[in-house]
Amino acid sequence: MANILVTGASGQLGTELRNRGFSLLDEVFYTDIEELDITNANAVCAFIENHDIDTIINCAAYTAVDLAEDNEEKARKINRDAVENLAKAAVRYGCLLIHISTDYVFDGCAEEPYTEKSPTNPQSVYGLTKLEGEKIIKKSGCIYIIIRTAWLYSPYGHNFMKTIYKLAHEKKEIGVVNDQWGSPTYAGDLADMIIRMMECDELPELEGIYHFTNEGKCTWFDFAKEIVALSGCDCEVKPLTTGEYPTKAKRPAYSVLDKSKIKKIFGCEIREWQEALRSCMITFEER
Ligand SMILES: NC(=O)c1ccc[n+]([C@@H]2O[C@H](COP(=O)([O-])OP(=O)(O)OC[C@H]3O[C@@H](n4cnc5c(N)ncnc54)[C@H](OP(=O)(O)O)[C@@H]3O)[C@@H](O)[C@H]2O)c1
């Protein structure tokens, strides 16, 4: 039996973890900013001590990639400083820290999937502050698992799948970038992976960085076309270049992650992104 703290539990990944649940033997405390603001170091320590927490799963983050460009201080407060609070508390109370990071720690200049050992070089404030969060964990001396993921979507919160689904119902034509490559990831599949990892008794000895996305790669245009097809709408998706769709934050042109390590160590297979999307859309449309 373990006492587990999930932070940022009202976000996409946190909600998927809550929907799935852990072993009945575990006591899980799902918190978001109202119950536990992770930027408050004293509150973090008090919560962990009072609830005798063994494992922290940090799903909290500042995830507004474009807004972060003008809000660097706030992004850093949540993506770095608050992560330091969790890491220090993990050292003090002997907890395992499971933390989620991003493909945006890479610059996108690669031509083959990034491994956990590939050099990082973030191109945005979001990516930079998330990398700072990774570094502070590694330096802290806590026992950690960092999972980098990418292009996360779910029936909850704000995400690309929901935006395209809505636009497909409203418009006859939409334009989507066709020169940025990555791997869409259903937050439910990532939640399943985390639960599977938690079931491994040797998890603390397996500390390190892991990459997890759904299998396969595509562009945002391919992803949008699949969403529109599944929505059954008669909306044409037109390919755009990054230059034709400028955003405040620079996105990596290629951010496919190599998942060999997580698959080998935890002996798991990962679904193709199209299959995961179908399953997420069913849940989304049933809501
Ligand atoms: N979304 C993606 O495409 C993507 C891609 C790669 C990696 N990731 C990473 O995956 C993880 C999960 O992402 P997600 O999409 O599930 O994020 P999300 O939906 O934005 O959820 C994050 C949650 O954290 C909460 N939060 C913010 N500040 C907090 C604080 N100080 N204390 C406690 N909670 C706080 C947020 O509340 P508010 O909503 O009120 O701010 C929100 O409920 C994050 O680490 C993210 O960086 C995401």
Side-chain angles (χ1 to χ4, degrees):
M1 171 176 166
N3 286 354
I4 301 166
L5 165 62
V6 179
T7 61
S10 302
Q12 296 196 76
L13 177 59
T15 303
E16 293 288 359
L17 280 171
R18 198 194 290 256
N19 287 352
R20 279 156 176 77
F22 293 81
S23 150
L24 288 176
L25 295 174
D26 295 330
E27 184 151 13
V28 190
F29 300 90
Y30 295 97
T31 64
D32 207 273
I33 192 160
E34 297 81 20
E35 298 82 26
L36 179 60
D37 179 350
I38 61 166
T39 64
N40 182 336
N42 291 333
V44 166
C45 283
F47 194 100
I48 290 171
E49 187 173 12
N50 293 341
H51 297 88
D52 204 9
I53 298 297
D54 312 287
T55 303
I56 306 164
I57 306 177
N58 182 30
C59 303
Y62 184 99
T63 55
V65 176
D66 289 313
L67 285 179
E69 296 297 308
D70 291 326
N71 293 286
E72 185 159 352
E73 205 177 315
K74 187 166 182 202
R76 179 160 291 112
K77 199 170 168 200
I78 300 168
N79 292 342
R80 180 206 174 279
D81 301 348
V83 173
E84 183 173 25
N85 294 339
L86 296 175
K88 281 186 172 168
V91 173
R92 185 162 163 191
Y93 297 102
C95 314
L96 168 68
L97 174 58
I98 300 181
H99 175 73
I100 315 302
S101 192
T102 171
D103 55 331
Y104 284 18
V105 299
F106 297 115
D107 59 18
C109 297
E111 287 173 352
E112 54 188 41
Y114 287 102
T115 73
E116 290 78 356
K117 289 183 179 154
S118 299
T120 52
N121 183 24
Q123 299 294 298
S124 62
V125 167
Y126 169 71
L128 174 65
T129 56
K130 290 293 290 183
L131 181 62
E132 289 171 357
E134 289 188 9
K135 286 182 176 169
I136 213 90
I137 290 175
K138 289 198 260 180
K139 211 174 120 193
S140 72
C142 75
I143 301 171
Y144 69 88
I145 299 284
I146 294 172
I147 306 171
R148 292 189 187 130
T149 189
W151 296 25
L152 214 56
Y153 65 89
S154 73
Y156 317 103
H158 301 286
N159 59 65
F160 185 80
M161 182 200 81
K162 288 175 72 177
T163 302
I164 296 296
Y165 185 89
K166 185 167 178 286
L167 289 174
H169 284 83
E170 292 169 356
K171 299 192 172 225
K172 282 265 154 277
E173 184 186 305
I174 53 173
V176 182
V177 168
N178 194 30
D179 55 5
Q180 292 170 20
W181 291 85
S183 307
T185 308
Y186 176 26
D189 285 10
L190 175 55
D192 284 336
M193 186 70 229
I194 293 171
I195 292 165
R196 185 184 182 122
M197 291 169 95
M198 295 270 302
E199 284 164 0
C200 174
D201 291 338
E202 295 87 46
L203 191 57
E205 289 95 76
L206 298 171
E207 84 162 352
I209 297 184
Y210 293 86
H211 287 175
F212 180 88
T213 63
N214 278 118
E215 289 285 13
K217 65 170 183 172
C218 64
T219 67
W220 292 107
F221 166 79
D222 301 325
F223 189 15
K225 278 194 64 149
E226 196 76 16
I227 296 163
V228 172
L230 290 170
S231 76
C233 291
D234 186 19
C235 169
E236 193 181 348
V237 186
K238 296 219 152 164
L240 298 178
T241 62
T242 297
E244 288 171 314
Y245 190 79
T247 50
K248 188 99 189 172
K250 193 174 171 200
R251 264 75 174 171
Y254 178 95
S255 67
V256 179
L257 302 178
D258 183 310
K259 299 167 289 292
S260 313
K261 181 179 171 187
I262 204 164
K263 287 194 285 188
K264 186 168 171 222
I265 291 187
F266 295 97
C268 58
E269 287 190 7
I270 304 175
R271 289 197 284 186
E272 290 290 325
W273 69 266
Q274 294 95 330
E275 190 190 337
L277 176 63
R278 273 195 295 280
S279 142
C280 177
M281 287 274 279
I282 290 169
T283 310
F284 175 56
E285 289 184 324
E286 279 171 354
R287 289 181 79 220

